[in-house]
């Protein structure tokens, strides 16, 4: 035996691999102290010694990689919805010129964001169902890398089209954009569900890093949009730099994911997950179930899943379709703050920064707990955000002419509250889900929780179209 290798425990002692014991709930930990845990693991002689000891995450490399994966999972969606000025320019009735003047209204530009939300969320639900069916059929590497490649190809095409004149074929450009969004969103959710699934095998800090990264993706896209508006003299130049930034970052996600198996910390937990699966296979007669059982997952997580569903349903009802249509009451002053930068700052940047803060808070504060009845009550209380944002200075108002909150401070406060509560109340059930089920179901549970999230986005996006039409 190598002198540096830890002393092997005696054969008559019981243990649980560290990679798995770190994910136990408090009840599981108590039962572990009282006796051997044998229901989910094979005998200790069949588990490699390497999984019994947890290496350190040197320089937090694995944490950073999962944080980057979180950014990459929602970056495509955020880049599409944040480029509001570009889409208005491309779909308006006077897009022959790229000046800074007012764009003539058209049905395509008025309702683009609502249809964008539908085109992105409906295929996402279907892809997450597919992801659940494939979780035991295709390796996570195949699902993650193939989805990233698809996203990169679509974004390269979108980048090329920035400099193409579509003034004579706006309808075709509109349909093509929605198709691109559908493909990208489906691939993004396949990627997101797969990454969140494998994060379920890691300690909770890794799942939290992934979810915080998703919020940072929105923040970075909002900052990139504002910088492009400030630096670029032409809306197409701004969009070109904007989408090139997305291309580079998606490529970075591919590179960093390929580095993940080379790190000892991540190899350790992935090996522990493999050992758990091997134990289940041996207990089940030597053959692995092709589709994970859904009933035991839902029995443990249905309240958490519905909480995730409703949090994101409420958020997507008003963001970005309604919140990005709120204009400054001083817009006629001609100031860049009230014209060019008001929507990118108050709608996109503030929301995403608040969302990131809410998600990051869960790293230090995890209250209420997974079984608390307070959590769903707080989730239901967010319903009040919908009428609050609807009655801000959203323009144009064709039916609902009343504006109750006519000062610029109101959308600032409401968007911050919307983002903060979305981040905190949306993250808690997401990180609780894979931890309240048996360890061999952690990856499948991560996919199921992602399904609830995306289903909430799909339903909320349908209501957002109705809200925009009603206003």
């Amino acid at each position: 035996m190598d002198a540096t290798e830890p002393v092997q425990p005696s054969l008559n002692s019981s243990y649980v691999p560290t990679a798995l014991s770190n994910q136990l709930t408090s009840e599981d930990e108590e039962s572990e102290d009282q006796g051997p845990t044998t229901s989910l693991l094979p005998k200790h002689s069949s588990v490699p010694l390497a999984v019994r000891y947890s290496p350190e995450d040197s320089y937090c490399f694995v944490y950073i990689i999962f944080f980057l994966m979180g950014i990459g999972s929602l970056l495509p969606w955020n880049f599409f919805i944040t480029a509001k000025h570009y889409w208005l320019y491309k779909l308006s009735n006077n897009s022959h010129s790229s000046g800074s003047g007012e764009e003539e209204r058209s049905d395509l530009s008025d309702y683009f964001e609502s249809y964008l939300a539908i085109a992105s969320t409906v295929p996402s639900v279907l892809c997450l169902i597919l992801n659940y069916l494939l979780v035991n059929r295709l390796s996570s590497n195949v699902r993650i890398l193939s989805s990233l490649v698809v996203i990169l190809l679509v974004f390269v095409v979108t980048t090329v089209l920035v400099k193409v004149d579509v003034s004579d074929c706006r309808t075709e450009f509109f349909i093509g954009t929605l198709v691109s969004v559908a493909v990208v969103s489906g691939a993004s959710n396949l990627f997101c569900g797969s990454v969140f699934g494998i994060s379920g095998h890691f300690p909770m800090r890794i799942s939290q890093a992934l979810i915080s990264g998703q919020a940072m993706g929105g923040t970075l896209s909002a900052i990139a949009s504002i910088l492009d508006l400030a630096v670029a003299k032409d809306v197409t130049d701004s969009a070109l730099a904007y989408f090139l930034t997305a291309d580079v970052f998606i490529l970075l996600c591919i590179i960093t994911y390929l580095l993940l198996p080379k790190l000892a910390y991540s190899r350790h937990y992935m090996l522990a997950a493999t050992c758990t699966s091997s134990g289940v296979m041996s207990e089940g007669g030597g053959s692995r179930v092709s589709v994970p059982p859904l009933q035991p997952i839902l029995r443990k997580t249905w309240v958490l899943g519905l909480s995730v569903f409703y949090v994101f349903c409420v958020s997507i009802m008003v963001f970005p379709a309604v919140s990005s249509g709120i204009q400054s009451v001083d817009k006629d002053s001609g100031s860049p703050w009230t014209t060019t930068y008001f929507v990118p700052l108050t709608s996109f940047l503030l929301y995403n920064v608040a969302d990131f803060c809410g998600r990051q808070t869960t790293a230090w504060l995890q209250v209420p707990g997974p079984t608390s009845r307070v959590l769903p009550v707080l989730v239901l209380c967010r319903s009040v955000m919908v009428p609050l944002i609807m009655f801000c200075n959203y323009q144009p108002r064709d039916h609902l002419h009343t504006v109750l909150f006519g000062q610029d401070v109101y959308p600032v406060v409401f968007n911050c509250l919307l983002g903060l509560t979305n981040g905190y109340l949306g993250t808690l059930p997401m990180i609780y889900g894979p931890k309240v089920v048996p360890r061999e179901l952690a990856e499948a549970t991560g996919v199921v929780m992602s399904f609830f999230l995306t289903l909430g986005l799909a339903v909320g996006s349908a209501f957002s179209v109705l809200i925009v039409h009603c206003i």
Side-chain angles (χ1 to χ4, degrees), residues 6-56:
V7 178
Q8 182 172 349
S10 60
L11 293 179
N12 59 3
S13 64
S14 62
Y15 71 91
V16 177
T18 307
L20 302 175
S21 62
N22 285 346
Q23 300 183 45
L24 294 175
T25 60
S26 58
E27 293 82 5
D28 291 329
E29 291 171 349
E30 292 174 1
S31 62
E32 179 186 346
D33 293 335
Q34 298 171 0
T37 301
T38 59
S39 61
L40 298 175
L41 295 172
K43 296 296 183 181
H44 57 78
S45 59
S46 65
V47 181
L49 184 64
V51 303
R52 305 181 197 176
Y53 306 94
S54 175
E56 293 184 0

Side-chain angles (χ1 to χ4, degrees), residues 364-445:
W364 308 288
L365 181 66
Q366 295 169 6
V367 177
T371 60
S372 173
R373 296 181 179 179
V374 177
L375 180 60
V377 171
L378 292 176
V379 168
L380 289 174
C381 289
R382 293 188 74 244
S383 304
V384 72
M385 298 306 305
V386 176
L388 290 179
I389 293 178
M390 283 179 60
F391 286 101
C392 288
N393 189 38
Y394 176 91
Q395 298 296 333
R397 308 183 76 91
D398 296 323
H399 303 96
L400 193 63
H401 301 288
T402 304
V403 176
L404 298 179
F405 308 104
Q407 298 182 10
D408 290 347
V409 68
Y410 287 113
V412 170
V413 173
F414 294 159
N415 277 315
C416 287
L417 286 175
L418 183 71
L420 190 65
T421 55
N422 180 84
Y424 188 77
L425 296 177
T427 300
L428 283 181
M430 288 294 291
I431 62 177
Y432 288 155
K435 311 304 177 187
V436 299
V437 297
R439 290 180 290 272
E440 74 274 11
L441 296 178
E443 182 175 355
T445 303

Side-chain angles (χ1 to χ4, degrees), residues 145-177:
L145 291 175
S146 60
S147 57
L148 282 174
V149 169
V150 170
I151 294 170
L152 180 61
L153 291 176
V154 174
F155 258 86
V156 169
V157 174
T158 303
T159 305
V160 171
L161 288 175
V162 169
K163 287 296 185 179
V164 176
D165 184 9
V166 297
S167 56
D168 294 328
C169 53
R170 285 190 300 273
T171 302
E172 290 79 4
F173 177 77
F174 175 81
I175 295 174
T177 300

Side-chain angles (χ1 to χ4, degrees), residues 132 196 297 301 433-435 437-438 441-450:
Y132 184 82
F196 191 78
I297 295 177
T301 63
K435 311 304 177 187
V437 297
L441 296 178
E443 182 175 355
T445 303
V447 176
V448 170
M449 296 302 292
S450 297

Side-chain angles (χ1 to χ4, degrees), residues 185-353:
S185 296
S188 295
N189 278 273
L190 186 63
F191 167 69
C192 180
S194 300
V195 172
F196 191 78
I198 63 174
S199 74
H201 296 300
F202 287 76
M204 193 176 290
R205 62 185 287 270
I206 299 299
S207 298
Q208 189 274 331
L210 178 63
I211 298 174
S212 293
Q214 292 178 332
M216 180 55 71
T219 303
L220 290 178
S221 64
I223 293 174
S225 175
I226 294 170
L227 290 177
D228 290 338
L229 287 174
V231 174
K233 298 179 180 179
D234 187 278
V235 66
T236 56
D237 291 339
S238 172
L240 182 63
Y242 188 59
F243 287 117
L244 281 174
T245 303
D247 296 338
V248 172
F249 197 90
I250 295 169
L251 186 60
L252 178 64
C253 285
I254 296 175
I255 296 172
T256 54
Y257 180 76
L258 292 175
L259 292 176
L260 192 62
K262 301 183 182 297
L263 301 175
Y265 183 81
S266 56
R267 284 202 309 270
H268 165 78
Y269 286 99
M270 290 177 177
L271 180 58
T274 302
C275 292
T276 302
S277 299
S278 300
V280 175
M281 289 171 61
S282 62
E283 290 182 3
S287 61
R288 189 177 184 179
V289 180
S290 59
V291 179
L294 186 59
Q295 184 176 358
I297 295 177
L298 292 179
R299 187 166 56 246
K300 290 281 188 177
T301 63
W302 69 273
V303 174
L304 297 174
L306 290 179
S307 297
V308 170
F309 166 85
Y310 197 72
V311 166
F312 286 91
C313 180
V314 169
S315 297
I316 203 67
M317 281 185 192
V318 290
F319 176 85
V322 179
S323 63
S324 65
I326 298 174
Q327 299 179 4
S328 170
V329 293
D330 298 321
K331 183 179 180 180
D332 295 336
S333 65
S335 169
W337 155 251
T338 59
T339 54
T340 304
Y341 298 108
F342 183 80
V343 170
L345 284 172
T346 60
S347 177
F348 294 106
L349 182 60
L350 286 180
Y351 173 86
N352 283 292
V353 169

